[in-house]
């Protein structure tokens, strides 16, 4: 039986570790990273507040876990891909989209906590069960810390990393890629976002979702009735596809999985109560391919693509939330049929113009091609009208 080590190939859908068994191979979903300025100068000492940078993702040692077989890895990808095709309704409080296999209980929401030294993500379900990932008890790796000058969206300290748990009996995997940013004077004034996957490998059940959560996005707001606002920021999450017959040189049935990052730009028209946007500059990284004959290849570096996601106009509710079914995925060289959904909400804090200063949400885009290739993008987005702190 062909085996591969968790440190050299895919741990879960999109949770890809570096080829050396941990250590920086890029951030988990690109939501806080700039991607365009790898040689940014170090910020002045006033921005490098030591206490703020010692976070739940700092200096954690990963424990030893068993290898996954090739068959188990393909199950993770296949079941996650299948689950993502199921219908889902956005969940507000935070903003969550979750997709589950038919025999699993639906997700009713998530809860996060962050106090600087500890981060938790709790996934709650309709049957009363829950699953929690906790940086104090679970494995944490591939951490990247981001200073305010490197955070081009909001000018806040941030950190990114992976949290996961692999149970051997029964063989289950729960994993999340997480970004957290916070106010310089208060760890509890934070915003967290990312994705998770929960897979019972032997039973072939899966749950996959994306989330945005933090105090600034947990309450209703009074939505402006005039004017417009433009929000620019980042988007990212997980990507899974199964190749059909229309990609020369790639065996039909090959699974590909990884992460993506992109640039988000949204425009809110408060007079018409509509919001729309797009995610472009989409790049794939931490990509692995698994061919039907058991061949595995791994590509950690960012690969630019011509994918673009158009977020069709969605009505803005009086509570400051919005949801839409119009997501179109395009590629100039591939004929794609796509569908999807997206949802979000505005922040409770205003900018100088009196409009909400930030917007955050989740999205999913699924696609098929004429040659029976299929795939999904599931992730979160975050944008602001200005850098702030």
């Amino acid at each position: 039986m062909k085996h591969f080590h968790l440190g050299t190939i895919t741990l879960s859908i999109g949770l890809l570790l570096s080829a050396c068994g941990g250590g920086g191979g890029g951030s988990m979903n690109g939501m806080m990273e700039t991607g365009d300025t790898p040689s940014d100068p170090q910020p002045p000492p006033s921005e490098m507040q030591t206490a703020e940078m010692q976070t739940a993702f700092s200096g954690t040692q990963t424990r030893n876990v068993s290898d996954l077989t090739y068959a188990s890895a393909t199950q993770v990808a296949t079941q996650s891909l299948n689950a993502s095709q199921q219908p889902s309704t956005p969940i507000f409080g935070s903003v969550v989209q979750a997709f589950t296999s038919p025999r699993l209980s639906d997700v009713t929401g998530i809860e996060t906590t962050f106090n600087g030294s500890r981060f938790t993500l709790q996934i709650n379900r309709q049957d009363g069960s829950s699953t929690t990932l906790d940086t104090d008890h679970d494995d944490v790796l591939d951490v990247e810390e981001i200073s305010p000058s490197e955070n081009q969206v909001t000018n806040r300290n941030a950190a990114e990393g992976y949290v996961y748990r692999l149970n051997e009996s029964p063989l289950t995997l729960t994993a999340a890629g997480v970004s957290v940013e916070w106010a310089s004077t208060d760890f509890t004034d934070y915003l967290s976002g990312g994705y998770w996957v929960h897979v019972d490998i032997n039973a072939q059940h899966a749950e996959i979702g994306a989330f945005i959560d933090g105090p600034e996005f947990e309450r209703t707001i009074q939505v402006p009735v005039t004017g417009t606002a433009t929000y620019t920021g980042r988007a990212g999450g997980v990507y899974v596809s199964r190749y059909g017959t229309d990609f020369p040189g790639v065996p039909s049935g090959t699974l590909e999985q990884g992460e993506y990052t992109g640039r988000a730009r949204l425009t809110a028209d408060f007079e018409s109560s509509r919001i729309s946007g797009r995610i472009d500059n989409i790049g794939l990284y931490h990509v692995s391919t698994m061919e039907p004959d058991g061949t595995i290849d791994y590509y950690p570096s960012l690969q630019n693509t011509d994918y673009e996601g158009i977020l069709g106009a969605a009505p803005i509710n009086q509570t400051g939330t919005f949801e839409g079914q119009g997501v179109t995925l395009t590629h100039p060289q591939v004929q794609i049929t796509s569908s999807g959904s997206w949802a979000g909400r505005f922040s409770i804090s205003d900018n100088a113009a009196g409009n909400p200063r930030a917007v955050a949400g989740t999205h999913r885009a699924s696609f098929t091609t004429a040659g029976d290739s299929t795939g999904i993008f599931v992730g979160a987005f975050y944008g602001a009208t200005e850098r702030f702190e």
Side-chain angles (χ1 to χ4, degrees), residues 111-115 119-120 156 180-183 186-192 213-218:
E111 298 175 30
T112 67
T113 66
F114 180 67
N115 64 4
F119 174 83
T120 67
R156 284 181 165 185
V180 183
E181 69 166 45
W182 60 92
D186 183 4
F187 279 127
T188 62
D189 181 6
Y190 70 93
L191 176 70
S192 65
D213 186 52
E216 192 167 343
F217 293 92
E218 290 181 344

Side-chain angles (χ1 to χ4, degrees), residues 327-351:
V327 176
T328 303
L329 189 68
T330 66
H331 192 287
Q333 297 175 336
V334 182
Q335 186 175 356
I336 292 174
T337 300
S338 64
S339 63
S341 58
W342 70 298
R345 68 186 311 159
F346 293 99
S347 70
I348 62 175
S349 298
D350 291 342
N351 59 19

Side-chain angles (χ1 to χ4, degrees), residues 21-103:
S27 65
M28 63 84 200
N29 65 12
M31 288 184 58
M32 306 301 181
E33 68 177 7
T34 63
D36 300 322
T37 54
S39 300
D40 283 346
Q42 289 295 313
S46 61
E47 291 186 346
M48 292 296 289
Q49 301 181 38
T50 303
E52 276 75 8
M53 297 305 289
Q54 298 303 310
T55 73
F57 298 103
S58 299
T60 304
Q61 298 294 320
T62 181
R63 296 180 289 276
N64 292 326
V65 292
S66 299
D67 289 356
L68 286 175
T69 65
Y70 170 84
S72 296
T74 57
Q75 284 291 349
V76 170
T78 300
Q79 296 308 317
S80 297
L81 182 59
N82 292 343
S84 69
Q85 307 304 318
Q86 301 301 315
S88 174
T89 300
I91 304 163
F92 292 103
S94 50
V95 185
V96 180
Q97 286 196 77
F99 310 90
T100 60
S101 299
R103 287 176 288 178

Side-chain angles (χ1 to χ4, degrees), residues 56 63 117-120 133-140 163:
R63 296 180 289 276
S117 63
R118 183 181 187 183
F119 174 83
T120 67
L133 289 171
D134 186 335
T135 57
D136 273 7
H137 302 292
D138 298 313
D139 291 291
V140 179
V163 190

